[in-house]
Amino acid sequence: MENFKMYIDGEFVETASGKSFDSYNPFTGKVWAQVAEGGAEDVDRAVKAAHRAFTEGAWPELTASQRGMLVHRLGDLVARDAKKLAEFEVMDNGKLIAEMQGQLNYVPQWYYYYGGLADKIEGAVIPLDKKGYFNFTRHEPLGVVAAITAWNSPLLLLAWKLAPALAAGCTVVVKPSEFTSASTLEFVKLVKEAGFPDGVVNVVTGFGKDVGVPLTTHPLVKKIAFTGSDGTGRAINEAAAKTFKRVTLELGGKSPNIVFDDANLEDAVNGAVSGIFAATGQTCIAGSRLLLQESIHDQFMDKLLALAKTARMGDPMSMETQVGPITTQPQYDKVLSYIDIAKTEGAKLALGGGPATRPECGEGWFVEPTVFTDVTNTMRIAQEEVFGPVLSVIKFKDEEEAANIANDVRFGLGSGVWTHDIGRAIRMSERIQAGTVWVNTYRAVSYMSPFGGYKDSGLGRESGIESIYEYLQTKSVWINTGAKTGNPFVLR
Ligand code: NAD
């Protein structure tokens, strides 16, 4: 049995209470590790360590180039240990080793990109309209950042926050999901090895109410970078408002994947399957609403079901497996409950529709790849995020109707458009209210391209140059170079 402690001020430490909790392997349904169960006292200790590191000692003395070198070195260490870190993730979250290895091999790019960006953040000299003044701007780090992650891709989601935060000069307290804390605690050893001063990165593990709440309400925390559900995001945003903390919120989705009759259907079928069954549908950008133009509906469904039926389920550690287990027992129950809801709402079950009882699935939390047709966009199965391998298929007549259905939902994270008509592709990309539109592809991300939500899918952006400004604040400096001091009672 593995045992994981928290990481505060450069040391692995016990919690103040001495308590720990079980972490489960979703493939076996059994406990595989014990994780430190933090509380408010531990959070306070970690935030104070991060605040000290922000204000005193080596970190604030580093030049931006030196900071960038450290962030870059961290990327090298992740690249070196990618295979081991991927195995920790699979053990804890049950996602496929094939996907996690690919992901962990790519994660270093965020550290390289923001490491390189650290010394390219320039202020401006403002060409003032007033004589006798010199005015310039500086971008200064906000301070202590609370980085809170969801369970589906812990180290990727952390890199999206940690790399720009560190490059900007902030210090960080990380709170991973209580379901998947192990890989973050393994990763943080690399922060030490890379040479970051103690206190710059801290990890407090535990539950949302015990660790998340004191962390997001702590007066010394200046910024919250959160990935998780919209409900938690809303609570965090409300709490943050009381002390004017900055927030970035990466929340859920109900993304439309729209196929027009002029699309390459083979490609689009692949895109639809990748949109909902890859990662067992446990991704924020899951293309969980498949919008099919009426004229190709039946033909498309035949191809889609034929492909989905071949999906190999089983041990996520096997490179052959294509659909793994659901990560947590509550999520497994939630996915099954949505399948029941869809049935009672009158959607037509075309594939799957329950727990997977195949022998290769063992005792794990597996749900059969499930497809519902004849879904209308007002059904709960079309409006609410399931976060599992459950696809809702909705018919549309024309472009106008497709755009209306796509936007008639409170989320706006991802979207796909499959067409060979370039004019239509551009028109749809303009009309769809979502942070990302993929045309003739799906589920592509890059450290260079901004990612985030419209509507209830969140606030702010991760990745790309603009993300570093989420961790900086602008100061305007005025220097009198010869202006006369005039009437003190008027604005200069
Ligand atoms: P969740 O909201 O239940 O938990 C996310 C994190 O918040 C966990 O670490 C949890 O312990 C913590 N938390 C819970 N209550 C808290 C509180 N009151 N204050 C502070 N922290 C609190 O989400 P989840 O079930 O872990 O993740 C699934 C959700 O994440 C889905 O909705 C999915 O779409 C979303 N997600 C979004 C993105 C994105 O980039 N937009 C990426 C991955 C997942």
Side-chain angles (χ1 to χ4, degrees):
M1 178 82 63
E2 299 270 351
N3 206 326
F4 293 94
K5 294 182 182 167
M6 303 178 307
Y7 184 77
I8 298 178
D9 212 5
E11 307 281 344
F12 284 97
V13 292
E14 302 285 355
T15 56
S17 69
K19 288 202 287 188
S20 61
F21 62 95
D22 295 335
S23 200
Y24 289 81
N25 176 337
F27 177 54
T28 61
K30 304 241 166 20
V31 177
W32 78 281
Q34 289 288 313
V35 179
E37 187 176 337
E41 213 176 308
D42 305 301
V43 167
D44 188 54
R45 200 166 141 205
V47 173
K48 284 186 175 146
H51 185 253
R52 250 190 332 272
F54 182 71
T55 49
E56 305 165 13
W59 183 247
E61 294 298 317
L62 293 182
T63 63
S65 303
Q66 288 168 327
R67 267 199 327 265
M69 292 287 286
L70 282 180
V71 176
H72 201 281
R73 197 177 303 154
L74 181 56
D76 279 342
L77 296 177
V78 174
R80 185 195 70 190
D81 287 0
K83 185 166 180 294
K84 182 167 82 174
L85 292 168
E87 284 167 6
F88 270 94
E89 299 234 287
V90 175
M91 194 75 96
D92 234 8
N93 77 6
K95 276 172 78 169
L96 305 183
I97 190 72
E99 163 143 24
M100 282 327 219
Q101 265 183 22
Q103 206 178 84
L104 266 296
N105 282 326
Y106 194 43
V107 160
Q109 297 302 330
W110 271 268
Y111 294 102
Y112 298 151
Y113 181 78
Y114 289 103
L117 194 55
D119 59 7
K120 290 162 198 72
I121 301 303
E122 298 173 344
V125 174
I126 310 296
L128 275 190
D129 59 322
K130 296 174 196 297
K131 292 264 180 242
Y133 295 100
F134 179 69
N135 178 226
F136 66 96
T137 58
R138 299 162 46 80
H139 298 288
E140 299 181 345
L142 287 169
V144 178
V145 173
I148 302 179
T149 52
W151 43 260
N152 60 332
S153 293
L155 294 183
L156 179 75
L157 300 175
L158 180 57
W160 292 8
K161 298 161 180 54
L162 198 56
L166 294 175
C170 294
T171 57
V172 185
V173 178
V174 183
K175 187 234 167 291
S177 167
E178 56 272 36
F179 294 108
T180 55
S181 305
S183 58
T184 302
L185 289 166
E186 191 60 26
F187 158 84
V188 80
K189 292 178 186 166
L190 305 181
V191 172
K192 180 104 175 168
E193 190 181 340
F196 284 88
D198 292 345
V200 171
V201 179
N202 309 272
V203 181
V204 183
T205 47
F207 296 92
K209 64 178 181 2
D210 304 328
V211 175
V213 171
L215 183 57
T216 51
T217 51
H218 199 292
L220 291 177
V221 169
K222 299 297 169 203
K223 150 95 192 181
I224 303 163
F226 171 78
T227 299
S229 61
D230 59 303
T232 309
R234 191 169 286 110
I236 287 177
N237 205 17
E238 282 171 12
K242 294 207 174 81
T243 45
F244 301 102
K245 296 185 198 320
R246 296 262 208 103
V247 291
T248 36
L249 302 171
E250 295 287 356
L251 311 177
K254 194 73 194 177
S255 301
N257 206 355
I258 309 167
V259 187
F260 288 96
D261 59 7
D262 63 351
N264 176 322
L265 295 195
E266 308 299 327
D267 288 351
V269 166
N270 267 323
V273 166
S274 124
I276 191 65
F277 299 130
T280 318
Q282 299 174 106
T283 90
C284 51
I285 48 179
S288 50
R289 287 185 301 150
L290 177 65
L291 274 52
L292 292 182
Q293 195 153 21
E294 274 173 356
S295 48
I296 52 157
H297 177 274
D298 294 353
Q299 184 193 356
F300 194 92
M301 285 310 301
D302 288 346
K303 289 179 192 291
L304 176 89
L305 294 175
L307 181 60
K309 275 178 193 156
T310 66
R312 286 186 299 274
M313 302 184 80
D315 186 351
M317 283 290 186
S318 159
M319 290 298 272
E320 304 302 310
T321 302
Q322 294 171 318
V323 177
I326 303 291
T327 299
T328 76
Q329 180 136 38
Q331 183 60 23
Y332 172 74
D333 295 338
K334 179 178 161 190
V335 174
L336 293 177
S337 80
Y338 268 104
I339 290 174
D340 288 341
I341 290 168
K343 288 175 184 166
T344 45
E345 281 180 313
K348 192 166 144 203
L349 184 65
L351 187 70
T357 51
R358 312 176 190 196
E360 57 272 32
C361 294
E363 301 292 304
W365 301 315
F366 284 85
V367 174
E368 283 291 336
T370 295
V371 178
F372 285 102
T373 56
D374 294 6
V375 174
T376 57
N377 202 45
T378 51
M379 291 180 182
R380 285 182 65 191
I381 198 70
Q383 291 289 321
E384 297 173 21
E385 185 183 45
V386 177
F387 217 60
V390 181
L391 181 65
S392 298
V393 182
I394 303 170
K395 283 185 200 166
F396 68 88
K397 284 192 192 56
D398 54 20
E399 202 175 305
E400 180 67 20
E401 195 184 15
N404 288 338
I405 295 172
N407 289 334
D408 185 14
V409 69
R410 66 189 178 88
F411 295 107
L413 194 59
S415 59
V417 177
W418 299 84
T419 176
H420 273 153
D421 177 339
I422 182 68
R424 169 180 279 163
I426 292 172
R427 285 192 301 276
M428 289 299 287
S429 72
E430 287 169 352
R431 287 193 68 175
I432 294 174
Q433 294 158 8
T436 299
V437 181
W438 289 288
V439 177
N440 295 330
T441 185
Y442 203 84
R443 230 178 149 238
V445 291
S446 164
Y447 50 92
M448 295 181 181
S449 183
F451 180 89
Y454 277 33
K455 304 196 281 189
D456 288 9
S457 290
L459 292 177
R461 291 292 176 267
E462 294 192 318
S463 299
I465 291 175
E466 67 187 275
S467 163
I468 200 165
Y469 291 98
E470 307 266 9
Y471 298 88
L472 293 164
Q473 54 193 338
T474 306
K475 182 178 278 171
S476 173
V477 182
W478 291 68
I479 299 168
N480 186 338
T481 59
K484 294 275 169 285
T485 321
N487 180 354
F489 300 103
V490 295
L491 197 65
R492 291 198 204 293

